[in-house]
Amino acid sequence: MQDFHEHSLNFETLIKKIPSYQKASEIADILSVLSDATRLRILWLLCHTTECVSDIALAIGMSAPAVSHHLKLLKQHKIIQAKKVGKEMLYTLAQNRYAELIHNMIDSMLQISCPNKEDN
């Protein structure tokens, strides 16, 4: 094996902390789901409210089946969660660390203050 060049004093320390391929792949999968403008708009909405497919479709200006497809992907990656209330399925942001980080990132990148935090 070759010796590392001495460009950085802490390079060997950093190498010991490089995320595993599996962890990096997991995060890349989540980020790939977010690489769609429609999903980002749906997700931004669900960061701030709990809604059914038909209301999300109206807000986004899409058909309910198209919105359902996007919701399925977000749910599979545990970014949103669903709860059945009566005959309707309601969607909202999942309660986990990744979902909260994504919420903060989207608000920051879109330069939109979270309406839920403005109420406090």
Side-chain angles (χ1 to χ4, degrees), residues 12 16 19-20 26 29 53 69 72 75 80 82 95 98 100-101 103 105 108 118:
E12 288 186 35
K16 294 174 186 174
S20 69
E26 178 185 323
D29 285 344
V53 173
H69 169 74
K72 179 181 176 183
K75 190 172 177 234
I80 64 168
Q95 299 298 309
Y98 286 154
E100 184 62 31
L101 287 169
H103 174 189
M105 177 187 69
S108 179
E118 288 176 352

Side-chain angles (χ1 to χ4, degrees), residues 24-114:
S25 180
E26 178 185 323
I27 293 168
D29 285 344
I30 291 170
L31 293 175
S32 72
V33 170
L34 301 176
S35 67
D36 180 273
T38 298
R39 279 193 288 276
L40 281 176
R41 293 176 72 221
I42 292 169
L43 184 56
W44 184 88
L45 184 65
L46 296 178
C47 284
H48 306 103
T49 190
T50 300
E51 290 297 335
C52 65
V53 173
S54 59
D55 286 348
I56 296 168
L58 282 172
I60 300 298
M62 295 181 72
S63 69
V67 167
S68 290
H69 169 74
H70 291 292
L71 291 171
K72 179 181 176 183
L73 289 171
L74 291 167
K75 190 172 177 234
Q76 283 175 339
H77 286 84
K78 297 180 174 112
I79 301 169
I80 64 168
Q81 59 191 28
K83 176 173 78 169
K84 191 165 184 147
V85 176
K87 293 182 180 183
E88 285 190 311
M89 190 67 74
L90 299 179
Y91 297 88
T92 194
L93 185 70
Q95 299 298 309
N96 63 54
R97 187 172 79 89
Y98 286 154
E100 184 62 31
L101 287 169
I102 291 166
H103 174 189
N104 292 331
M105 177 187 69
I106 290 170
D107 281 351
S108 179
M109 292 182 85
L110 293 175
Q111 296 180 337
I112 299 172
S113 296
C114 177

